[in-house]
Amino acid sequence: MRFFKTALIVALFLLAWPRAAHCVNSHVKVLLLPFDVFSAVDISETRRNVMDTLASSLESKGVEIVGLEEVRGLVVEGGVESFDENTALEISGEVSADFALLGSLTRLGMTTNVEMRVFDLKGQRPVAFYSRSSVSEGELLRTLERTGEEVYNKMTATLMERPVVKTGFVDRIIVSGNRRVDTEAILKKITSGAGEAFSPDDVKEDIRALYGTGYFEDITVDLSDTASGKVLTYKVREMPFIRAVVITGSKEIKDETIREAITVKENTFLDRAAVGENAERIKDLYAGDGFYLAEVKPRIDSDGVEATVTFDIKEGREVRVKRITFIGNERFSDKELKKVMGTKQAWLFSVLTESGRFNEFLFQNDLAMVLGKYYDNGYINADILDHRVLLSEDKKWFYITIAVTEGGQFSLGAIDFTGDILDSRGELADKLKIKTGETFSRATLSGDLDTLSDHYGDKGYAFADIKPITHINAEVKTVDITFDIKKNELAYVERINITGNTRTRDKVIRREIESEEGNLYSSSEMKRSSSNLKRLGYFDDVRVSKARGTASDRVDLNVDVKERPTGSISAGIGYSSVDKLIGTASISQSNFMGTGIKLDISGTVSASSARYVVGFTQPWLFDKPLSAGVDLYNVEREYPDFKIIKNGFDIRFGFPVYGRYTRGYITYTLEEVDVLDVSDDASTFIKEQEGNNTESSIRLTLKRDTRNDYFFPTEGHVVTVSTELAGGPIGGTIYFIKNELDAVQFFPLPLDTSFSVRGSAGYLQGYAGREPPIYERYFLGGINSLRGFETRSIGPKDPETGDLIGGDAMLVTNMEFLFPIFPEQKIRGLLFFDAGNAYDGRIDLTDLRYGAGVGIRWFSPIGPLRLEWGFNLDRRDEEPSSQWDFTIGTAF
């Protein structure tokens, strides 16, 4: 947009006139014409300062500025808004000027560019061109003051060197001033050429083209006439080379983060416009973290050859959200709507949870989430009428107001199917969660579309197109839905493309993918493949997607992984309410050389126990779904009445039983067990255990594991059945048979909560006239069985001494409800209920102990943490009413 204001032009030249009156004896007369302005904003003040600076600079050299009254007349009376060479020639006839100085100002972003040309009024030709730019007006004016001297020198030289022969053709082109940029590269940008007709417009375009490369700070073109033609000399001053980029004042955001966000880099040419743009980038970075008052001032220190770019940051205080208010909501309360938003109000622990921060992108998503809340509850006409984010006067708080209109609630009407129906309409309808008469839910509809797509995908139709056609009955407030199905062609897997793996070998990934090249496509196989890869623990992220192959009946599977470190050397200190202070050290590699082999050396020492393990596991023996492993271990543990030391090893072998999720395991264990330091007042049964024994056993295990996450599962189940035989044909001095069952089911619930039910049962018996040892018997109580009771405090007792001797049967059930407290920090709250007991003989469901309580679970930087407070619901003599349990640094 062009801004040209007559009053300002007149004022400009009236201000310049008094200075010109003192220069009547000057030998150079210059007609300084108003510059054109091109800008999307009003920069008339900048234009006035530019022209005033040029006039002052020329006058200081003895130049007389003429034609002020004539210019004013043309503007006021003639309505002239733009001045060119023809206008200059008309005025020069009245004032006898030698030269005219014309030009323009252009504002793009933060950069102001001044282009001007010196026009020889006597020779009626341009003799010089200049281009100056800067993101700082002060720097621009200082540059123009120096340029005024160059203009004056060019004018005087032109007066002294009037050409003898005039020609309209270019004889030579000279480039000077360039140091780093090759002359040939500059000439390629210049359209003027030797032997061609001279054109001032071409020279102007040449200046623009050279300036557009970003390599030059100043460009001047001198024009001189010789007997053989015109000589164009392009004088360039290169942009300084950036020697260093300095960031000062950054505390809340790391320098590394800022440097990644900006494009101004060391060892590149300085781009002043880019410096200003990157200052805005840094401000946006701070705004994303809630520092909306941050100020970023760029500074350039240059010696003309090299430059240091400094971003001075004043972070200011963080602006947080004080209050979120809704207007027009009747069906849902403010509290209910706030729950679906990622933007939260600040509160006491905002420093820990980072709540209260405002991010524009997140807020826009929040508006969609609020509408989604309505759409998922049948309010299909709900809308956001308006929203405001206001900053308080003290610039400390944001106040958010959201106005909504709800409309009526709609239910689901008729459901129908059309197109390629492979099954009956009834069978397809049975797969849907939406049912006629229920409240309409967009989320449920979206999930049903995925279900139908997966159903067709499992039959090989990878690119089935399923569209819901809705018909709204406004009068009865129902929505009829017809699923229009186009199955398209059967698709076969053409290629499986694996990307992102830098350490893990392709075959380790490929063996977890259930689809094979050439097989019919299956949606379920693709999802299971993604789950299999996530369960390995080798990757931070796994994405399995499909893409069209080389033909309409071909599909490619793209597997993209993001690897995480799989090896670790660690040492740490933890705490357990049972073992007190715990020291740990380990060296492990779960993906040795990218082969999937797991190596582990670890040690754990506490006040009452010690455990050392060396383990090796090959999960795919001979590239088959067979696993094998061996462990060497040493365990020492102190109990109230005795101490136990175990030294041994086990050999493990695993194999698939049904699919990938059900596996069988055979484990052989051989260990030397020493029971010592038995108390004098211990039970006779315990005293009989004292001494050294050899335990040789085989354990058969059947396990099915479908969890979706190892640490915080929300769906799936784990069922384990095992039988262990020790002694007899296996050898050793210890004889027993132990049968155990453990099963847990996880249920996902709304609002990122989950519920789980776990049941465990075990039965131990001796044979050949021998009793099982005390360390194999069942003792309950504590954080891993019955909470609210002291560890190992539940079980049969010796009737004579009252010592706990453990049971040969046990039953435990645990129910847990987990909910997020601080999701960003992976901190969850817990409500639990436990029931169970250990028995001497048969399990008696009428004799159960009960506990319930609350807790916190946190996947902390130093390991999983559990803090749980259980209450004894059927307290007996000498039992505490409640029990705290705390562990950190060990898995749970």
Side-chain angles (χ1 to χ4, degrees):
M1 179 184 295
R2 178 192 299 269
F3 288 94
F4 192 91
K5 298 184 178 178
T6 302
L8 288 174
I9 295 174
V10 173
L12 169 64
F13 283 91
L14 287 178
L15 287 172
W17 178 255
R19 291 191 297 271
H22 295 285
C23 305
V24 293
N25 296 321
S26 171
H27 65 281
V28 179
K29 296 181 179 181
V30 175
L31 186 61
L32 181 59
L33 298 177
F35 284 9
D36 292 338
V37 176
F38 302 94
S39 174
V41 296
D42 187 356
I43 58 170
S44 55
E45 180 69 18
T46 301
R47 178 195 56 201
R48 188 173 73 84
N49 293 335
V50 165
M51 300 198 67
D52 194 38
T53 298
L54 287 171
S56 298
S57 178
L58 291 172
E59 287 178 350
S60 68
K61 301 298 180 183
V63 172
E64 178 184 358
I65 306 298
V66 298
L68 297 178
E69 289 294 332
E70 287 75 12
V71 169
R72 185 181 65 174
L74 290 173
V75 172
V76 176
E77 300 172 6
V80 177
E81 295 185 350
S82 181
F83 291 80
D84 56 16
E85 284 80 354
N86 292 329
T87 309
L89 289 170
E90 293 177 6
I91 299 174
S92 68
E94 303 177 20
V95 298
S96 301
D98 296 301
F99 299 95
L101 188 58
L102 306 95
S104 64
L105 275 77
T106 303
R107 172 71 61 84
L108 293 174
M110 298 180 63
T111 303
T112 303
N113 183 54
V114 177
E115 291 187 357
M116 50 188 178
R117 55 195 183 277
V118 178
F119 188 74
D120 183 357
L121 294 169
K122 303 296 183 182
Q124 298 187 13
R125 62 191 178 90
V127 294
F129 300 88
Y130 302 89
S131 179
R132 304 290 185 264
S133 65
S134 178
V135 294
S136 166
E137 182 174 326
E139 183 180 356
L140 178 65
L141 295 178
R142 288 190 294 272
T143 301
L144 291 175
E145 187 174 3
R146 295 191 297 269
T147 304
E149 182 176 356
E150 297 179 32
V151 172
Y152 171 74
N153 292 335
K154 182 61 181 176
M155 290 176 178
T156 55
T158 301
L159 290 175
M160 296 175 62
E161 299 176 3
R162 291 291 184 184
V164 177
V165 178
K166 294 184 178 181
T167 177
F169 292 90
V170 176
D171 179 52
R172 283 180 298 152
I173 295 177
I174 301 172
V175 177
S176 65
N178 54 312
R179 297 183 178 183
R180 297 185 182 90
V181 183
D182 188 69
T183 299
E184 291 299 322
I186 297 175
L187 290 174
K188 287 181 179 179
K189 290 290 182 179
I190 297 174
T191 57
S192 302
E196 297 179 358
F198 170 73
S199 170
D201 291 334
D202 288 345
V203 175
K204 290 167 62 176
E205 290 303 318
D206 291 341
I207 293 176
R208 291 179 185 274
L210 291 173
Y211 186 75
T213 63
Y215 297 152
F216 305 108
E217 188 171 25
D218 287 317
I219 303 169
T220 302
V221 182
D222 282 350
L223 175 65
S224 59
D225 287 305
T226 66
S228 58
K230 298 181 181 295
V231 177
L232 290 175
T233 302
Y234 289 78
K235 298 179 180 179
V236 299
R237 187 167 75 214
E238 293 176 345
M239 282 286 187
F241 213 57
I242 299 177
R243 177 178 60 251
V245 177
V246 180
I247 298 170
T248 63
S250 57
K251 297 178 181 178
E252 296 294 334
I253 299 180
K254 295 181 179 180
D255 282 7
E256 292 80 5
T257 304
I258 296 175
R259 292 182 185 276
E260 288 177 1
I262 61 178
T263 59
V264 175
K265 305 295 183 182
E266 296 175 354
N267 299 320
T268 61
F269 280 104
L270 174 67
D271 185 336
R272 298 181 184 276
V275 171
E277 292 169 0
N278 278 268
E280 293 299 318
R281 283 194 180 199
I282 298 174
K283 287 185 65 176
D284 291 342
L285 196 64
Y286 272 92
D289 271 8
F291 292 86
Y292 286 85
L293 304 180
E295 296 181 1
V296 182
K297 294 183 178 179
R299 188 177 75 249
I300 300 172
D301 299 309
S302 173
D303 59 7
V305 178
E306 294 183 323
T308 298
V309 178
T310 303
F311 293 100
D312 292 319
I313 302 172
K314 292 183 179 179
E315 295 179 328
R317 72 179 302 278
E318 186 176 11
V319 183
R320 291 188 178 267
V321 177
K322 182 69 172 180
R323 186 172 63 244
I324 301 174
T325 304
F326 288 90
I327 299 174
N329 54 312
E330 297 179 359
R331 172 60 179 85
F332 299 110
S333 66
D334 284 16
K335 183 178 181 180
E336 289 176 297
L337 295 178
K338 289 176 186 177
K339 282 185 178 179
V340 304
M341 297 178 61
T343 303
K344 304 294 183 182
Q345 293 179 172
W347 66 303
L348 181 63
F349 293 104
S350 289
V351 176
L352 297 176
T353 65
E354 298 185 356
S355 62
R357 289 187 169 182
F358 179 80
N359 180 280
E360 179 65 29
F361 177 80
L362 179 62
F363 178 63
Q364 292 299 324
N365 184 65
D366 287 339
L367 298 178
M369 295 298 292
V370 169
L371 285 179
K373 175 73 171 177
Y374 280 99
Y375 296 156
D376 294 342
N377 287 274
Y379 293 89
I380 63 175
N381 294 321
D383 197 8
I384 302 290
L385 295 179
D386 194 12
H387 61 274
R388 300 289 176 86
V389 181
L390 300 178
L391 183 64
S392 62
E393 291 185 3
D394 59 5
K395 297 184 178 180
K396 293 182 178 180
W397 303 103
F398 281 124
Y399 292 85
I400 298 175
T401 303
I402 302 173
V404 302
T405 178
E406 296 179 332
Q409 188 178 39
F410 284 68
S411 59
L412 192 63
I415 301 174
D416 197 7
F417 301 87
T418 187
D420 300 324
I421 301 175
L422 299 180
D423 306 286
S424 68
R425 286 178 167 79
E427 289 176 321
L428 290 177
D430 288 341
K431 297 182 180 297
L432 306 181
K433 290 185 178 181
I434 56 173
K435 303 296 180 183
T436 299
E438 294 183 354
T439 301
F440 175 81
S441 170
R442 186 184 63 174
T444 305
L445 174 61
S446 178
D448 284 341
L449 285 172
D450 291 339
T451 299
L452 291 175
S453 294
D454 289 343
H455 176 64
Y456 274 75
D458 282 341
K459 295 179 180 293
Y461 298 99
F463 303 107
D465 187 13
I466 304 174
K467 297 179 180 179
I469 301 173
T470 59
H471 176 70
I472 299 175
N473 305 301
E475 294 183 0
V476 294
K477 288 185 169 55
T478 61
V479 180
D480 297 335
I481 298 179
T482 299
F483 293 95
D484 183 24
I485 304 173
K486 185 179 181 181
K487 61 182 176 60
N488 293 317
E489 293 185 63
L490 287 171
Y492 295 84
V493 177
E494 184 173 23
R495 295 190 62 183
I496 298 175
N497 303 309
I498 299 174
T499 58
N501 55 316
T502 57
R503 294 185 301 273
T504 307
R505 298 182 184 181
D506 271 17
K507 74 172 185 178
V508 174
I509 297 174
R510 200 171 286 271
R511 67 196 184 192
E512 300 295 335
I513 300 173
E514 300 198 3
S515 298
E516 294 184 5
E517 293 169 349
N519 285 2
L520 191 65
Y521 171 82
S522 169
S523 296
S524 296
E525 287 182 354
M526 189 174 77
K527 289 185 175 181
R528 289 197 300 267
S529 299
S530 177
S531 178
N532 294 341
L533 289 169
K534 290 177 181 178
R535 289 157 58 85
L536 290 176
Y538 305 162
F539 310 110
D540 277 329
D541 190 26
V542 176
R543 298 180 185 274
V544 181
S545 59
K546 66 175 184 283
R548 292 190 180 275
T550 57
S552 58
D553 63 343
R554 294 291 182 266
V555 59
D556 288 345
L557 296 185
N558 297 319
V559 181
D560 184 34
V561 299
K562 181 181 179 182
E563 292 186 310
R564 63 159 61 120
T566 55
S568 66
I569 300 176
S570 64
I573 296 177
Y575 183 85
S576 165
S577 56
V578 178
D579 296 314
K580 307 306 178 186
L581 194 65
I582 303 172
T584 64
S586 68
I587 301 175
S588 66
Q589 173 56 264
S590 60
N591 187 17
F592 181 68
M593 297 183 67
T595 63
I597 293 175
K598 182 178 181 179
L599 303 176
D600 180 67
I601 302 174
S602 63
T604 302
V605 180
S606 72
S608 60
S609 67
R611 177 180 175 86
Y612 305 96
V613 179
V614 177
F616 168 89
T617 303
Q618 168 57 277
W620 280 70
L621 190 64
F622 309 123
D623 288 329
K624 302 292 183 182
L626 307 172
S627 63
V630 60
D631 297 307
L632 304 175
Y633 56 87
N634 170 266
V635 178
E636 295 184 18
R637 180 146 191 131
E638 292 184 8
Y639 295 104
D641 299 315
F642 62 94
K643 178 180 179 180
I644 186 171
I645 299 176
K646 292 184 178 182
N647 293 287
F649 71 92
D650 64 53
I651 299 175
R652 296 169 277 109
F653 180 73
F655 50 91
V657 175
Y658 181 76
R660 286 178 173 265
Y661 301 114
T662 304
R663 294 181 63 84
Y665 298 91
I666 300 175
T667 304
Y668 173 74
T669 302
L670 179 64
E671 60 186 20
E672 184 179 311
V673 185
D674 205 6
V675 178
L676 63 161
D677 296 341
V678 178
S679 299
D680 293 335
D681 56 354
S683 165
T684 302
F685 178 76
I686 297 176
K687 289 181 178 180
E688 292 174 350
Q689 307 290 319
E690 189 170 15
N692 183 273
N693 286 285
T694 301
E695 182 174 313
S696 176
S697 70
I698 285 184
R699 183 171 65 253
L700 305 179
T701 303
L702 183 66
K703 182 177 182 179
R704 180 171 175 80
D705 186 351
T706 64
R707 288 175 296 178
N708 65 336
D709 187 88
Y710 184 79
F711 293 106
F712 287 121
T714 58
E715 60 182 333
H717 61 261
V718 184
V719 179
T720 305
V721 181
S722 67
T723 295
E724 184 176 7
L725 172 66
I730 312 301
T733 60
I734 302 296
Y735 285 55
F736 67 83
I737 299 173
K738 181 181 284 188
N739 300 305
E740 292 183 331
L741 169 66
D742 184 87
V744 57
Q745 177 70 50
F746 300 94
F747 303 92
L749 297 176
L751 303 178
D752 195 25
T753 62
S754 65
F755 179 74
S756 66
V757 178
R758 179 174 187 169
S760 299
Y763 183 71
L764 172 71
Q765 68 182 58
Y767 66 96
R770 304 190 188 188
E771 289 291 326
I774 190 170
Y775 49 81
E776 293 290 349
R777 296 174 70 86
Y778 295 109
F779 297 83
L780 301 184
I783 198 168
N784 293 313
S785 57
L786 284 177
R787 289 159 288 191
F789 300 86
E790 292 183 346
T791 301
R792 291 176 58 87
S793 65
I794 304 298
K797 297 181 179 180
D798 187 307
E800 296 182 2
T801 65
D803 291 336
L804 282 168
I805 59 174
D808 53 22
M810 71 88 181
L811 177 68
V812 176
T813 182
N814 311 103
M815 289 180 281
E816 297 183 345
F817 174 70
L818 273 78
F819 53 92
I821 298 179
F822 303 138
E824 298 87 354
Q825 282 72 36
K826 298 182 180 179
I827 299 177
R828 291 179 171 266
L830 170 72
L831 301 176
F832 64 82
F833 174 80
D834 299 335
N837 208 341
Y839 306 92
D840 189 5
R842 297 178 61 183
I843 292 174
D844 183 2
L845 295 179
T846 64
D847 182 20
L848 295 174
R849 308 300 307 276
Y850 301 96
V854 297
I856 292 175
R857 292 185 178 176
W858 175 30
F859 196 80
S860 73
I862 59 174
L865 175 149
R866 294 176 70 181
L867 176 62
E868 295 171 15
W869 187 17
F871 297 89
N872 187 336
L873 299 182
D874 60 339
R875 182 184 177 192
R876 299 178 182 177
D877 294 341
E878 299 181 359
E879 288 183 346
S881 60
S882 64
Q883 177 75 26
W884 281 99
D885 287 301
F886 173 67
T887 62
I888 189 170
T890 55
F892 59 82

